[in-house]
Amino acid sequence: MTETPFETPLRAPRVWAEFDNPDDDTERFRVDLTWLTSNWTCIFGQGCQGIYADRPDDGCCTLGAHFSDKDDLKNIKQVAKTLGPDEWQYYDEGHSKKGWTEKEDGATKTRVVDGACIFLNRPGFPAGAGCALHQHAMAEGIEPHTIKPDVCWQLPIRRDFRTVTMNDESSFTEVTITEYDRRGWGPGGHDLDWYCSGNPEAHVGKDPVYVSNAGELKHLMGEAGYAELVLRCEAHLAAVEAAQRPGRRKMLPLLVHPATLAAQQQNRRRI
């Protein structure tokens, strides 16, 4: 594993909350409050080192994006048709016979061209470096998560489903909302040269994740589910504030994400 010395250990303790999905009585949310109240933010172009040391300008776009299902692919097909050569560096390549998708182990994904995703505009491109889909969304006033592959906009939030069977043989679907850490990438995630979600360098956001990524969370949980999440995140932050008051006992490490805590301590030292 190539985690940096300052990266949060994968098995660091966390605070979890559970509540029923207001929109579906067969589901129960299990949410990672330690992560969702952290100050993580995407720092692409602002200190992001990329997942591979020899591709520092790619962020996490080096490998291309696998599509979650047919609807995910259909959505990006529609968006790709609207991109012009002035906003998509690989416009010509994307419209060539090879197209902008490819197969990997039988699954469809965005094609890798010149070492990274075909939708990634490289440094020096007039429209700026970064995802052409994301930049198009920002230019059109559209929420980026609505026109990007699922795996791209969900990162670094991970949603997992698990069937839980109780002793009385009743069951429900447990929907976990947590951090998309290295393990989310599969076995290869441990070999990434740098990764943001557990790194203090990326825990410099003005707002906690449940606020800054509200659009994504509403998409994953529904409006009613998100409203329930907000109540619990606010209560958690209130508990953290109380625990940090002078004279209190040492705060348990699970209350604040270790990377957020490290970033806050580094900032205090600079001041």
Side-chain angles (χ1 to χ4, degrees):
M1 185 183 296
T2 57
E3 295 176 55
T4 70
F6 304 104
E7 192 171 318
T8 301
L10 292 173
R11 297 183 66 180
R14 294 169 185 257
V15 172
W16 296 85
E18 295 185 358
F19 56 92
D20 291 335
N21 183 349
D23 296 323
D24 188 343
D25 60 9
T26 69
E27 291 186 348
R28 185 170 178 80
F29 286 116
R30 176 175 178 264
V31 297
D32 179 355
L33 296 180
T34 301
W35 166 247
L36 293 167
T37 59
S38 76
N39 288 116
W40 177 91
T41 188
C42 179
I43 57 170
F44 180 85
Q46 298 177 304
C48 175
Q49 299 179 36
I51 58 176
Y52 294 120
D54 60 347
R55 305 280 311 186
D57 298 318
D58 293 353
C60 53
C61 303
T62 306
L63 303 174
H66 285 80
F67 293 101
S68 60
D69 54 31
K70 292 181 179 179
D71 289 337
D72 188 21
L73 176 58
K74 181 180 179 181
N75 184 38
I76 304 308
K77 280 183 177 179
Q78 293 174 339
V79 180
K81 292 177 181 178
T82 69
L83 297 178
D86 60 325
E87 54 186 346
W88 185 13
Q89 183 176 1
Y90 289 91
Y91 176 91
D92 291 338
E93 188 67 32
H95 287 78
S96 68
K97 288 184 178 180
K98 288 186 176 180
W100 50 268
T101 64
E102 63 184 0
K103 291 285 188 178
E104 183 177 274
D105 298 327
T108 303
K109 61 184 289 291
T110 59
R111 189 154 68 93
V112 170
V113 177
D114 294 339
C117 177
I118 193 170
F119 286 110
L120 180 67
N121 294 332
R122 312 304 201 264
F125 183 64
C131 174
L133 300 169
H134 189 104
Q135 292 173 333
H136 177 75
M138 298 300 290
E140 297 295 322
I142 303 169
E143 289 201 75
H145 74 271
T146 63
I147 62 170
K148 294 174 67 175
D150 287 347
V151 69
C152 299
W153 66 259
Q154 290 182 22
L155 191 74
I157 298 169
R158 183 172 179 82
R159 179 178 63 176
D160 284 320
F161 296 90
R162 180 173 73 104
T163 299
V164 177
T165 302
M166 308 302 289
N167 288 341
D168 63 359
E169 298 184 1
S170 63
S171 64
F172 62 90
T173 299
E174 181 182 80
V175 184
T176 296
I177 306 292
T178 186
E179 176 182 342
Y180 201 112
D181 61 26
R182 287 175 175 269
R183 293 169 293 192
W185 293 73
H190 297 287
D191 298 322
L192 302 179
D193 294 319
W194 186 88
Y195 192 59
C196 68
S197 75
N199 201 303
E201 294 173 2
H203 281 248
V204 292
K206 180 181 69 173
D207 296 311
V209 169
Y210 81 92
V211 175
S212 60
N213 287 67
E216 290 86 345
L217 288 164
K218 289 176 183 177
H219 193 110
L220 293 170
M221 305 177 70
E223 292 278 354
Y226 176 72
E228 292 292 327
L229 171 68
V230 170
L231 292 174
R232 287 154 179 82
C233 286
E234 290 178 346
H236 180 73
L237 287 176
V240 170
E241 182 181 3
Q244 290 178 327
R245 291 172 187 162
R248 295 283 182 174
R249 290 185 300 175
K250 185 177 180 181
M251 184 174 59
L252 288 173
L254 51 78
L255 288 178
V256 178
H257 194 289
T260 290
L261 193 60
Q264 291 172 345
Q265 292 171 343
Q266 290 172 8
N267 187 52
R268 293 192 192 100
R269 286 195 290 269
R270 294 190 190 101
I271 296 174

